[in-house]
Amino acid sequence: METPTYIVLSRQLGLSRQMDVVANNLANTNTSGFKAEGMVFSEYLIRAEKPVKLSYVQDLASYRDLSEGTLQTTGNDLDVAIQGKGFFVLETPDGPRYTRNGRFQLNAAGEVVNNSGFRVMAGGAPLILNTDDGPINIAADGTVSANRTQGGNTPVIYGRLDVVAFTDDNALKPGNGQVFGSDQVPAQVDVADFKLQQRMIEGSNVQSIREMTSMIWVQRNYQSAQKFLEGEHERMRRAVNYIIPSS
């Protein structure tokens, strides 16, 4: 015999998963380049006794909010934020990966890397700088240069940072450190569709007040479902005692 207990349990499982997502968002409120996640639920119908259908809650999938976060000034020459479309390209042992977290640094070989040590790509090759050339300048189109001049009037140009986009950003596969993978072939973003801001980073796009509100809502709904289950358990206990009275 079908009971409401299984339906409520399906709801609780969904709420538990939603709480995990909300808690992860809140934990990354101050993580550079972090993109908030959300849950997608659907109704799952199971045929019971005709013409009744039981409606369960199905944890269908999660999605990632790829809207821009606020820009934060750092003063670091190698910090870069993207305004508009696009992702930076990183060279990793598992192939190219993509990120909007532009908190970069130099390794011992003079290569520009992210905080995980993955090399940042410019023109399809790792970007290598010479600190003896003076302060680094990164233009709005991604061109990286230094103050030292060649021939008296031409600044040293190291390359142009790769900024790419995808047909479907929602198909990106999240990894560690705000890095994404993709099975799609990326395309270079037109310079009219983005602007790089040097000495700035893109902050998390998590809206902490909204996430706190969601956490309270999830908690209250979970508690409400738990009270229903406790009441259902008590009802069944009474029914059993009525049918089989204790001697």
Side-chain angles (χ1 to χ4, degrees), residues 194-212:
F194 77 93
K195 179 180 180 182
L196 297 192
Q197 297 283 5
Q198 187 182 15
R199 304 179 186 92
M200 303 183 80
I201 56 172
E202 181 182 0
S204 167
N205 69 351
V206 173
Q207 299 181 35
S208 56
I209 294 178
R210 185 174 69 179
E211 296 299 332
M212 286 295 296

Side-chain angles (χ1 to χ4, degrees), residues 49-244:
E49 296 179 5
K50 295 182 179 180
V52 177
K53 289 184 179 180
L54 298 179
S55 176
Y56 287 79
V57 178
Q58 184 178 24
D59 176 2
L60 190 62
S62 63
Y63 67 91
R64 191 170 297 273
D65 177 9
L66 293 173
S67 62
E68 291 183 40
T70 56
L71 299 190
Q72 303 168 358
T73 301
T74 66
N76 183 350
D77 286 350
L78 292 181
D79 285 345
V80 194
I82 301 176
Q83 278 187 306
K85 294 176 57 177
F87 295 83
F88 297 113
V89 182
L90 304 173
E91 182 184 62
T92 80
D94 299 318
R97 293 294 184 265
Y98 312 95
T99 186
R100 285 183 66 95
N101 183 2
R103 190 183 290 277
F104 300 141
Q105 58 195 21
L106 288 180
N107 63 14
E111 299 167 325
V112 179
V113 297
N114 75 339
N115 53 12
S116 297
F118 299 145
R119 298 191 292 185
V120 180
M121 307 300 283
L127 178 62
I128 303 175
L129 308 181
N130 184 350
T131 55
D132 293 335
D133 290 336
I136 300 301
N137 299 307
I138 302 177
D141 67 351
T143 300
V144 182
S145 61
N147 283 356
R148 187 174 68 84
T149 58
Q150 297 172 325
N153 56 15
T154 304
V156 176
I157 297 177
Y158 300 106
R160 179 180 162 192
L161 289 168
D162 289 333
V163 178
V164 301
F166 302 88
T167 303
D168 182 11
D169 287 347
N170 290 318
L172 292 173
K173 303 173 183 178
N176 296 327
Q178 316 321 313
V179 172
F180 300 90
S182 179
D183 295 329
Q184 305 173 69
V185 177
Q188 290 287 336
V189 181
D190 190 279
V191 292
D193 293 329
F194 77 93
K195 179 180 180 182
L196 297 192
Q197 297 283 5
Q198 187 182 15
R199 304 179 186 92
M200 303 183 80
I201 56 172
E202 181 182 0
S204 167
N205 69 351
V206 173
Q207 299 181 35
S208 56
I209 294 178
R210 185 174 69 179
E211 296 299 332
M212 286 295 296
T213 302
S214 295
M215 178 172 284
I216 294 171
W217 181 88
V218 171
Q219 185 177 25
R220 287 178 176 174
N221 278 269
Y222 191 93
Q223 291 172 343
S224 177
Q226 185 62 35
K227 288 180 180 179
F228 177 89
L229 289 176
E230 292 170 357
E232 185 69 6
H233 174 75
E234 179 63 19
R235 181 187 69 81
M236 294 176 68
R237 186 188 67 82
R238 290 178 179 178
V240 171
N241 288 339
Y242 179 80
I243 296 171
I244 309 175

Side-chain angles (χ1 to χ4, degrees), residues 18-31 34-39 63-65 178 204-208 210-212 214-215:
Q18 189 172 6
M19 179 64 81
D20 290 341
V21 170
V22 171
N24 185 59
N25 287 342
L26 284 172
N28 287 281
T29 300
N30 297 318
T31 301
F34 180 80
K35 301 302 179 184
E37 290 185 296
M39 293 298 302
Y63 67 91
R64 191 170 297 273
D65 177 9
Q178 316 321 313
S204 167
N205 69 351
V206 173
Q207 299 181 35
S208 56
R210 185 174 69 179
E211 296 299 332
M212 286 295 296
S214 295
M215 178 172 284

